[in-house]
Amino acid sequence: MSYRVDGFGELATFDAGTSVLVSGPSPETNERLFDAVTPASGERAIVITTNTDAETVVEELLDRGATREQLGVIECTNHDSDVEGVPVKQLSSPGDLTGISLEFAKLLDEDDTKPVRVGFATVSTALMYAELRTMFRFLHVFTARIRSGDMLGVFTMNPSMHDDKAHNTIRAVFDSEVSVGREELTLRGSGFSQ
Amino acid sequence: MSEGDGKPTVLVVEDERALIELYVRWLEDDYEVLTAEGGEAALEQLDDSVDVVLLDRLMPGMSGDEVLAELRERTTECKVAMVTAVEPDFDVITMGFDDYLTKPVERDELLKTVQRLLSRSDFADLEQELYSLSAKQAALRSSKPDEELAESEEYADLESRLSELRSELDATLPEMESDEFVAMVRDIEGESDEGGGEDR
């Protein structure tokens, strides 16, 4: 099983279970994340958002061809979105990692027969609420769950918001990384073919 | 986990004598088994040697939830599986249970659950080491030029231990389920609330 991803430059095919880090400034990384997690027919998408309200997330995905019943959103902003036809779970803080994992498990449980694309925008906000160590361990366990469930994980991060060490530590969790921004998109690592 | 002496220890807490005997028969070949017929007795038995607790939720006297609360006050090291008559929600995980078994409990299911809980402790240990080494690697990468790293024996050792760790981690919990995922995140967050602990 694999996931076709259009949005990281050339069309790429990711092996099921792979997680990719999209690094760069957040408007661009969000766009690339929406491209990458838009579910193909027969798939679902679950997006965890700390920087964009759920209405916008859903609109962006619908614009890219998703249908409402394919989507689920965990909103960790201060918005209180009510989106018709899409389950939206609210959490008060991006630092509530147990809450995120619990709501994720529940959304996943609603239909465990379909391939799932998972989006997490953005690790940078969550890092303002949790220590680097905690965040690393959380992401490691999260990507392990994505692997065991044959899902596709897409996480964004803005390196300019953190020191080099934090970025280098976080990127060690991921199978692959795409850098967005200055030059052309470059996809590095493993778990995909182009 | 108890060190050195081989078998891990399982504490069975159950008010029905017949069930205790049954569980002991299933477990005694592979584990050191302690038993308690109620919550108070369970807390008396509890010490650092206990790796896994099988805890009946509905008992006369102290309920399983009360025992759990008291137990978590004392130690976060051991894993607790709730044994219940009703299929619970993921929410029991946030209450502090690590897993659950629904009655009637089958032999294979019980043994599998105990094994997975022990694997999860191993996974957490390896995963802490993964963080320490990844942070070290990141610090080196941020401070030293690539050419210097390429020649460093210490850096090469670090990289090989990291890749070894990743394979060990994959082998320890190859099929992580949702309830395990939630429980592990809860533990990670719990440890950070306690002040983060030191790198190890």
Side-chain angles (χ1 to χ4, degrees):
Chain A
M1 196 169 65
S2 60
Y3 295 87
R4 284 162 61 90
V5 173
D6 200 358
F8 296 156
E10 269 177 82
L11 181 74
T13 305
F14 282 85
D15 301 336
T18 304
S19 287
V20 54
L21 181 67
V22 183
S23 50
S26 61
E28 286 93 332
T29 53
N30 266 14
E31 292 295 316
R32 297 288 82 80
L33 178 134
F34 294 139
D35 289 342
V37 300
T38 300
S41 139
E43 297 177 353
R44 298 165 67 211
I46 298 174
V47 177
I48 297 149
T49 170
T50 64
N51 66 352
T52 312
D53 60 88
E55 276 132 346
T56 310
V57 170
V58 169
E59 267 169 38
E60 293 283 349
L61 296 178
L62 293 179
D63 283 351
R64 287 165 168 81
T67 57
R68 290 177 188 273
E69 55 275 18
Q70 290 179 292
L71 307 178
V73 181
I74 302 168
E75 186 178 53
C76 320
T77 62
N78 283 323
H79 292 269
D80 208 349
S81 299
D82 185 15
V83 186
E84 200 195 325
V86 177
V88 177
K89 315 271 191 175
Q90 257 97 24
L91 290 169
S92 56
S93 161
D96 181 5
L97 303 178
T98 306
I100 290 173
S101 65
L102 184 66
E103 297 303 343
F104 177 76
K106 287 179 179 172
L107 282 174
L108 197 60
D109 216 33
E110 285 179 9
D111 179 358
D112 58 8
T113 61
K114 298 195 174 79
V116 180
R117 297 180 188 231
V118 183
F120 192 110
T122 158
V123 172
S124 289
T125 319
L127 260 175
M128 295 194 278
Y129 293 82
E131 288 168 48
L132 178 61
R133 177 197 185 84
T134 306
M135 207 53 206
F136 174 93
R137 297 181 63 202
F138 166 73
L139 290 172
H140 178 254
V141 173
F142 199 1
T143 53
R145 178 68 191 104
I146 285 168
R147 193 172 315 121
S148 78
D150 285 334
M151 297 175 256
L152 170 71
V154 183
F155 296 69
T156 64
M157 181 175 190
N158 184 352
S160 71
M161 287 173 65
H162 315 281
D163 59 26
D164 252 17
K165 189 192 162 200
H167 180 216
N168 279 332
T169 305
I170 295 295
R171 75 207 302 188
V173 175
F174 294 90
D175 304 298
S176 55
E177 181 176 6
V178 59
S179 306
V180 176
R182 272 161 282 167
E183 330 94 57
E184 280 193 38
L185 293 173
T186 42
L187 185 54
R188 291 182 304 272
S190 61
F192 63 89
S193 56
Q194 262 183 326
Chain B
M1 201 185 232
S2 54
E3 311 292 331
D5 57 350
K7 292 180 180 179
T9 301
V10 179
L11 170 60
V12 177
V13 189
E14 168 61 62
D15 61 309
E16 282 183 59
R17 195 65 231 165
L19 282 181
I20 293 191
E21 281 166 19
L22 186 66
Y23 297 164
V24 169
R25 207 166 340 125
W26 292 343
L27 290 163
E28 64 190 358
D29 286 347
D30 300 314
Y31 304 102
E32 212 55 65
V33 187
L34 305 172
T35 64
E37 283 187 55
E40 290 84 356
L43 293 169
E44 278 167 34
Q45 293 267 22
L46 185 77
D47 61 31
D48 288 345
S49 74
V50 177
D51 299 298
V52 173
V53 182
L54 297 176
L55 182 58
D56 187 22
R57 191 171 196 185
L58 273 182
M59 296 179 292
M62 275 180 106
S63 73
D65 294 1
E66 287 168 323
V67 177
L68 178 76
E70 175 70 32
L71 185 147
R72 285 287 179 235
E73 286 280 299
R74 291 209 231 154
T75 170
T76 51
E77 288 291 296
C78 71
K79 300 286 176 210
V80 185
M82 174 177 77
V83 183
T84 165
V86 206
E87 177 85 24
D89 198 50
F90 289 127
D91 290 319
V92 300
I93 305 293
T94 51
M95 288 167 53
F97 289 103
D98 295 296
D99 207 337
Y100 48 83
L101 286 158
T102 317
K103 286 183 173 181
V105 179
E106 308 273 343
R107 180 178 182 275
D108 285 355
E109 201 194 347
L110 181 101
L111 294 176
K112 208 176 117 201
T113 300
V114 171
Q115 188 48 56
R116 289 190 73 84
L117 288 172
L118 292 167
S119 299
R120 212 195 287 171
S121 298
D122 293 344
F123 186 94
D125 289 346
L126 291 169
E127 181 249 327
Q128 301 226 26
E129 189 183 349
L130 183 74
Y131 170 74
S132 302
L133 296 187
S134 300
K136 204 168 176 184
Q137 186 190 39
L140 284 170
R141 272 192 189 160
S142 311
S143 64
K144 292 212 163 68
D146 289 352
E147 310 83 68
E148 198 176 320
L149 291 178
E151 283 169 20
S152 157
E153 204 171 307
E154 189 201 352
Y155 191 75
D157 287 349
L158 189 62
E159 289 205 307
S160 84
R161 178 60 190 147
L162 273 166
S163 93
E164 220 175 82
L165 263 180
R166 288 179 201 283
S167 330
E168 282 175 47
L169 280 160
D170 287 344
T172 307
L173 269 189
E175 292 294 328
M176 186 192 294
E177 303 282 346
S178 277
D179 45 5
E180 286 183 306
F181 165 57
V182 178
M184 291 169 87
V185 173
R186 181 204 65 203
D187 290 350
I188 289 167
E189 214 173 14
E191 282 165 35
S192 87
D193 292 344
E194 284 160 25
E198 57 276 34
D199 284 2
R200 26 159 295 153

